[in-house]
Amino acid sequence: MPTPTRIAAILRQQPVGQELEVCGWLRTRRDAKGGFSFLEVNDGSCLANLQILADNGLPNYTDEVLRLTTGCAVRARGELVPSPAKGQPVELRASQIEVVGWAPAERYPLQKKRHSFEFLRTIPHLRPRTNSLAAMTRIRNTLSMTVHRFFQERGFVQIHTPIITTSDCEGAGAMFTVTALDLERLPHRPNGGVDFRQDFFGRKASLTVSGQLEAEAYALALGNVYTFGPAFRAEHSNTKRHLAEFWMVEPEMAFCDLVADIDLAEAFLKELARAVLEEAADDLALFTRFVDPETERRLRQVRDQPFLRLPYTEAVERLAASGRSFQFPVHWGADLQAEHERWLCEELAGGVPVVVYDYPAEIKPFYMRQNDDGRTVAAMDVLLPGIGEIIGGSQREERLDLLERRMQALGMDAAEYQWYLDLRRFGSAPHAGFGLGFERFVQFATGLPNIRETIPFPRTPK
Ligand code: 4AD
Ligand code: MG
């Protein structure tokens, strides 16, 4: 089978006069008087379709071409010619058209009209054939490559951290258990609990909520590392910002403090915004036009404006002084809610991302470095307008005695974390890192109202 020329390349290079072969899916067919038809074909390589001109000189014009409907797979050969029509520089004058796969109109769920995202979610296997989901997928790809380029150019080493783990990084109790036990006949311990000693791993294992702890081990050997992989959380947060399975980008740096960590997070977000604006401009324009008119402006703000950095204590003071009546009252020690994050970003900072740092220790996980004030830890969250928390990170507690005391206070089983404590026993060094929720950034970059449209097959409660 000859390799077809991709439509993106045809529109870029416009090799007029050349004989080409194009393969894709029919978006529309328009029949004109005089025995010819215009076929709009999309092959997924870009948002734009290629117009193919088919006429009754084709041997299968009446029995096949005139029966082509939206969604059919077609292969066309012909000469590329300048197009007389507005809005397209070139079109293909077909000398041969082959129907590769029919899509019977009475059963094909994607018709020419616009479908709601809710409806499209019921056909996740077909929705990539819509402009919006295909554009999202290409933007997601651009972002994914940008993640790797950003860290590789800075000498970070990519680490594939495990998906199955026995350590709970965030301590939020939202892990999915991985077991090979027969659920109909679970072995029990004398005291009643499930006897995971008889399980595949000989202990209770789960899907990871974050690759951080394992990344720390490698940062304290290779210096700067990052992991970019799936994370799983069994939180019952049925919101527009939560998935049960999502992808996280987690850099971890040795000999690094919180300030340098925030600097890297800011540079990283700026580079992601730049990449979408410059490398995915056509797909981005679709979202600005049809989904959220503010999408491009918000990306430019991230790219061009310095972020506002605010200690948690000051953020709480500002919120309290705002005069707003929030659904969740603000007071020192409370976690910031979405409404607070939005006010900080959208009202206080005027749409510029906000970095809140030095959070109360009680609302943050065990591994964060304790500040000298005895009540806060060296944590930071980056907030984006419209999204809220996009990044969570911290400097890690590198002092063995303080870490052990903290774990004890939280009632953690130190035996499970001996390897993690070893990192503090042998050649411990200050280190820091963060995690970026990849889908949340795709959401920011597209303006899509629900995170379920930012990943091919969303996994959510029920
Ligand atoms: O703030 P989180 O929980 O931080 C960590 O997991 C750290 N261990 C990261 C690190 O320091 N290496 O999660 C990081 C980010 C959040 O800011 C958010 O953007 C995203 O992951 N996130 C989710 N995205 C989609 N669905 C969910 N259920 C998410 N939970 C967190
Ligand atoms: Mg967080």
Side-chain angles (χ1 to χ4, degrees), residues 264-287:
L264 186 81
E266 179 166 350
F268 181 44
L269 285 168
K270 284 183 153 39
E271 173 58 15
L272 293 178
R274 186 209 59 76
V276 182
L277 284 161
E278 292 173 18
E279 297 169 25
D282 291 350
D283 288 318
L284 176 58
L286 172 103
F287 291 103

Side-chain angles (χ1 to χ4, degrees), residues 170 233 364 381 389 391-393:
E170 294 306 299
R233 297 194 184 179
K364 290 291 180 187
D381 277 1
E389 181 189 336
I391 282 180

Side-chain angles (χ1 to χ4, degrees), residues 170 210 212 233 235 243 246 250 389-390 392 396 434-435 437:
E170 294 306 299
S210 158
Q212 176 197 324
R233 297 194 184 179
E235 305 164 298
L243 291 164
F246 64 100
E250 296 179 276
E389 181 189 336
I390 179 72
R396 322 305 188 189
F434 62 79

Side-chain angles (χ1 to χ4, degrees), residues 171-241:
M175 302 184 85
F176 288 101
T177 301
V178 175
T179 182
L181 290 174
D182 179 352
L183 296 182
E184 306 295 328
R185 258 167 301 160
L186 286 174
H188 287 281
R189 302 173 86 122
N191 64 13
V194 174
D195 188 2
F196 284 103
R197 287 171 306 184
Q198 297 186 40
D199 202 349
F200 187 90
F201 297 107
R203 57 211 279 204
K204 187 174 177 179
S206 310
L207 294 178
T208 187
V209 296
S210 158
Q212 176 197 324
L213 302 187
E214 292 90 353
E216 281 184 55
Y218 274 73
L220 291 168
L222 288 108
N224 293 341
V225 302
Y226 70 106
T227 154
F228 182 6
F232 307 86
R233 297 194 184 179
E235 305 164 298
H236 286 280
S237 335
N238 216 335
T239 76
K240 292 173 177 345
R241 312 258 178 271

